[in-house]
């Protein structure tokens, strides 16, 4: 059963708004409400991306990264520093590494 992309988009928007409220009222570096809101955004984003693809065959121009991806990028960055060659920063989807939003935050 697939979800309507408009419903998923509404959930993503609400999750982003809740994250903003949690971030604005943060009570320290490890505030559990900010962490929960962060993961709610990630889950809502994934749901929306899947719904959009299922309904229209359309991908989003950004991807979520998990902590394993961050470790891989750190390893790649270190090996790139050792080489004097300039590497293309685009991934297989044509997106700059910097365009991969909603990523790279460890709790």
């Amino acid at each position: 059963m697939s979800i309507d992309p408009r419903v998923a988009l509404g959930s993503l928007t609400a999750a982003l708004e809740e994250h903003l409220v949690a971030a604005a009222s943060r009570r320290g570096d490890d505030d559990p409400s900010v962490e929960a809101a962060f993961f709610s955004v990630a889950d809502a984003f994934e749901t929306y991306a899947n719904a959009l693809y299922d309904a229209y065959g359309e991908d989003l121009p950004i991807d979520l990264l998990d902590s394993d991806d961050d470790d891989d990028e750190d390893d790649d960055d270190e090996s790139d520093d050792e080489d004097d060659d300039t590497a293309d920063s685009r991934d297989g989807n044509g997106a700059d590494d910097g365009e991969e939003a909603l990523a790279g935050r460890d709790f």
Side-chain angles (χ1 to χ4, degrees), residues 2-7 48-59:
S2 64
I3 187 169
D4 182 335
R6 290 191 182 277
V7 172
Y48 173 63
N50 290 337
L52 186 66
Y53 187 81
D54 290 346
Y56 304 114
E58 186 65 31
D59 286 320

Side-chain angles (χ1 to χ4, degrees), residues 15-28 31-38:
L16 287 166
E17 290 175 357
E18 290 173 17
H19 184 268
L20 176 60
V21 169
S25 62
R26 176 186 295 271
R27 295 176 307 259
D31 189 328
S33 65
V34 176
E35 182 177 355
F38 174 86

